Amino acid sequence: MRIVRNSAFDLLRRRKIRAEEDIDDFFHLTDERYDARRVEQAVLLEDAVKRFVTILGCVVLTVALFCGCGVAPDSGMGEDVPDGSSDLTWDTDGENYEYDSIAEQGFCDVRETPSSYFSLDRNTAGYSFVRAQIRQNLPVAADSVRLEELVNYFDYDYPLPEQGEGIGVSAYLSDCPWNEEHKLMTVGIRTAEAVVGGDANYVLLIDVSGSMGGSVYGYEGMSRLELVKYGANKLVDGLGDSDRVSIVTYASGVETVLESTAATKEGKTKIRSALSRLASYGSTSGADGLQRAYEQAEAHKAENGNNRVIMLTDGDFNVGISDTEELTEFIQDKAKSGIALSVVGVGLGNTRDDLMQALALNGNGNYSYIDTQLEAEKVFTEELAGTLYTVAYDAKAGVTFNADTVSSYRLLGYDMKLISEDDFNNPETDTGEIGSNLCVTVMYELVPNASSPKNTESGLANIAVRYRDTAQQDREAALAVTGGESETEDTQFASCVAEFALVLRQSKYRGSASLENVLARLNGLESYLAQDEYKQEFKQIVSLAEESGLYDVLSDQEDMPVA
């Protein structure tokens, strides 16, 4: 039976339209009649005007202070003059910081809609964004909470794939911590470790615009660009002699700082030297930077090897030449030619999270965000192979529930990654990519069928994960969920992260979820947490959120909708 949820398909279509509109807003079309020199002159003039206005504002405020003048409460002049530390105060409603709007999925009646389909990836930027907001004691923006990215940030001990397979699938069943009448079904997906062969060709595309000189919260004297340099050096540490690195920078203009260089001992010295000389200045010509980076990748392309542009930016693009469709097709064509695009965000205050997601999605890459040196080490050292080597291309999942045992279900997260049944069945559908030796977690809240016989053997659900392997062959990993599966400490922890996300979003489906409950359950996993510093840190983040009092459960909150 072909059943497609129109709302889910419409949401996906709206998201793609929004991404195209965002790119159109972000990359301004410059008339071809103007050459590069005149564009550069215009940028320099714009920067000079901005500096003049800032200086004039400072003078006016200084005179006002010396004269004892006050500022009217609603005059609009009560804001501090920018001092370069824009990430220490973060207006989540500002025009320069945007997330894709999330429409949270509700419960689906199994008899009407037995199946759900969605794209798979292992992006983790959402967790780092949430962590940064909580550390700065800022109210977490609801749309920054992408539940699946919080859960997928962590590593789990899911079974490895069978020999010769790229993906392994496992399932677990437990009581739902925030609704005692419901069950929680957790699906664990693990990729195989990539067999690294052939040469590798990487282009570091680094934003060196003025905003990259902004400070990093918690690191006195460290700028965003310095944090990028730290991460890039960690990446260089993990490269081998057969790997090659180019460096392209963009600000008011674009510069190839380092031509393709082998990552030998001598070559690494040259790469690090080039990184050390980078300094921030000017505006942000992102589109031109992307074009130059792809040119470098193409010029030094490793046949049958790994070719990837790694973009490191705070996302503050304000100068560029491109048309929406032209840019999207450009990135997609490069991805089809074998050059992937990974995006690494850094800094708060002017980051376009929505656009960086769209770039990574179209570029067949991954999207992460570094706010600390520890996070840079996680992305560029501990998970380097997962960042650089893709194991599952165009990965997607389909889950079909049994109406005899399940009355209704709700997919937790993946709200912006829903696809139709037709797209799931079409091997040409462009979906997500998953890197080497990584875990992806999918969680469903289930309402059991009360009329189901106690001894039924018909099972709960059937799971299918489809993808293309490294040989570009279509593959499927399937699993039947019987209902007899048990929970593990991994799934207990994952449910803590999910409950945390429900509270931060103030989800109308949160039931009895609270940060107090999350902390109580984490306290029962002390020995488990002690084995993983990132999971220990998670408990600290939950404690900070609980202490802030920003997420206390209100007595007049509406109850969770009846499924």
Side-chain angles (χ1 to χ4, degrees):
M1 179 183 295
R2 179 180 178 276
I3 300 177
V4 180
R5 281 186 291 164
N6 291 329
S7 60
F9 190 72
D10 289 343
L11 178 61
L12 178 66
R13 183 164 54 249
R14 289 197 301 272
R15 178 173 180 255
K16 289 187 175 180
I17 292 173
R18 171 68 187 280
E20 292 179 353
E21 291 175 345
D22 285 343
I23 293 174
D24 192 32
D25 291 340
F26 224 52
F27 295 96
H28 303 295
L29 180 62
T30 300
D31 196 295
E32 293 180 357
R33 295 174 298 174
Y34 293 93
D35 59 19
R37 179 174 177 79
R38 295 186 67 180
V39 172
E40 180 71 13
Q41 289 173 342
V43 170
L44 293 175
L45 177 61
E46 180 185 5
D47 288 345
V49 171
K50 288 180 178 178
R51 287 196 296 271
F52 174 76
V53 171
T54 300
I55 293 171
L56 180 61
C58 291
V59 171
V60 171
L61 287 175
T62 301
V63 172
L65 286 172
F66 276 107
C67 293
C69 297
V71 179
D74 298 323
S75 67
M77 295 186 60
E79 297 181 0
D80 294 333
V81 177
D83 63 356
S85 300
S86 59
D87 55 354
L88 296 180
T89 56
W90 182 17
D91 179 5
T92 57
D93 294 325
E95 63 179 1
N96 287 331
Y97 199 97
E98 293 188 22
Y99 308 96
D100 274 327
S101 179
I102 297 177
E104 205 172 20
Q105 300 167 77
F107 282 87
C108 296
D109 188 311
V110 176
R111 296 196 181 279
E112 295 179 0
T113 312
S115 303
S116 72
Y117 305 99
F118 51 96
S119 172
L120 290 171
D121 60 44
R122 208 271 190 162
N123 294 339
T124 60
Y127 178 79
S128 299
F129 277 126
V130 165
R131 177 178 60 197
Q133 293 172 79
I134 290 175
R135 279 180 168 163
Q136 296 184 46
N137 198 33
L138 298 168
V140 174
D143 283 337
S144 72
V145 185
R146 298 186 286 270
L147 186 148
E148 76 279 5
E149 292 189 19
L150 271 65
V151 175
N152 288 335
Y153 178 85
F154 302 96
D155 189 31
Y156 304 98
D157 192 25
Y158 298 143
L160 292 169
E162 297 291 333
Q163 185 69 29
E165 299 294 331
I167 280 182
V169 181
S170 54
Y172 313 86
L173 194 66
S174 64
D175 292 331
C176 180
W178 50 89
N179 192 316
E180 61 183 12
E181 296 180 356
H182 295 179
K183 295 290 184 180
L184 201 61
M185 186 181 84
T186 302
V187 181
I189 298 168
R190 191 180 190 95
T191 58
E193 188 167 353
V195 178
V196 178
D199 299 333
N201 167 38
Y202 304 119
V203 181
L204 301 182
L205 175 58
I206 301 178
D207 180 354
V208 294
S209 64
S211 61
M212 290 293 286
S215 60
V216 177
Y217 182 82
Y219 292 88
E220 185 175 354
M222 176 178 280
S223 70
R224 299 172 185 177
L225 182 56
E226 287 169 337
L227 181 57
V228 162
K229 292 180 185 180
Y230 180 86
N233 274 291
K234 290 297 180 182
L235 182 151
V236 172
D237 288 343
L239 300 182
D241 291 353
S242 62
D243 300 329
R244 302 188 68 86
V245 175
S246 308
I247 301 177
V248 174
T249 63
Y250 63 94
S252 299
V254 177
E255 181 181 0
T256 302
V257 174
L258 182 72
E259 292 286 349
S260 183
T261 301
T264 60
K265 182 177 180 180
E266 296 78 9
K268 287 183 177 180
T269 299
K270 292 181 180 179
I271 298 168
R272 292 192 178 96
S273 177
L275 288 169
S276 69
R277 295 193 299 269
L278 301 182
S280 58
Y281 72 98
S283 303
T284 318
S285 186
D288 293 341
L290 278 168
Q291 291 172 336
R292 178 75 65 85
Y294 277 119
E295 288 172 3
Q296 277 288 314
E298 190 69 43
H300 306 283
K301 190 173 182 180
E303 297 300 329
N304 300 318
N306 191 13
N307 298 279
R308 185 176 296 266
V309 173
I310 303 171
M311 186 177 193
L312 301 106
T313 177
D314 65 0
D316 185 21
F317 294 15
N318 48 45
V319 174
I321 51 173
S322 183
D323 172 80
T324 300
E325 293 185 4
E326 179 185 357
L327 177 67
T328 302
E329 291 175 3
F330 174 71
I331 294 175
Q332 289 176 338
D333 287 344
K334 293 301 180 182
K336 291 176 182 177
S337 73
I339 302 175
L341 172 65
S342 291
V343 180
V344 180
V346 59
L348 294 177
N350 53 356
T351 301
R352 285 295 303 270
D353 169 70
D354 52 348
L355 180 71
M356 291 196 289
Q357 280 205 90
L359 291 175
L361 174 65
N362 287 310
N364 282 0
N366 37 45
Y367 173 37
S368 54
Y369 168 80
I370 55 175
D371 56 334
T372 65
Q373 289 182 332
L374 181 64
E375 186 64 22
E377 293 168 8
K378 181 176 186 288
V379 172
F380 291 120
T381 301
E382 297 176 25
E383 297 180 351
L384 181 61
T387 300
L388 299 181
Y389 291 93
T390 300
V391 170
Y393 297 84
D394 289 331
K396 50 194 172 183
V399 180
T400 300
F401 291 94
N402 181 2
D404 291 337
T405 54
V406 179
S407 175
S408 60
Y409 64 87
R410 192 176 92 84
L411 175 62
L412 305 184
Y414 296 92
D415 302 289
M416 299 188 298
K417 298 170 184 176
L418 304 178
I419 61 175
S420 68
E421 183 179 10
D422 285 346
D423 283 338
F424 179 72
N425 290 324
N426 181 2
E428 300 301 318
T429 300
D430 185 14
T431 50
E433 277 69 39
I434 311 175
S436 169
N437 196 28
L438 295 177
C439 295
V440 176
T441 300
V442 179
M443 308 178 81
Y444 283 94
E445 184 174 347
L446 308 181
V447 179
N449 188 339
S451 62
S452 174
K454 297 293 184 181
N455 60 348
T456 182
E457 297 181 357
S458 55
L460 290 180
N462 288 301
I463 303 167
V465 176
R466 295 178 182 173
Y467 64 101
R468 281 183 293 107
D469 62 19
T470 54
Q472 299 304 301
Q473 298 297 310
D474 292 331
R475 308 294 292 268
E476 178 176 299
L479 179 71
V481 183
T482 66
E485 294 80 4
S486 58
E487 65 179 349
T488 66
E489 288 184 317
D490 274 337
T491 60
Q492 290 175 22
F493 176 80
S495 70
C496 288
V497 181
E499 182 173 357
F500 176 64
L502 293 175
V503 173
L504 294 186
R505 279 196 59 79
Q506 292 295 284
S507 168
K508 62 182 179 181
Y509 301 100
R510 67 189 178 276
S512 62
S514 70
L515 297 183
E516 183 179 5
N517 291 344
V518 174
L519 286 171
R521 296 202 290 126
L522 288 174
N523 286 334
L525 294 170
E526 283 296 335
S527 60
Y528 170 82
L529 299 181
Q531 303 172 45
D532 188 318
E533 62 181 327
Y534 299 106
K535 292 173 181 174
Q536 293 178 55
E537 181 195 52
F538 172 71
K539 183 180 177 182
Q540 296 170 5
I541 296 300
V542 177
S543 295
L544 285 175
E546 198 270 339
E547 291 168 5
S548 74
L550 295 172
Y551 313 100
D552 293 339
V553 178
L554 303 178
S555 59
D556 60 348
Q557 288 175 343
E558 60 180 312
D559 294 332
M560 184 185 72
V562 177

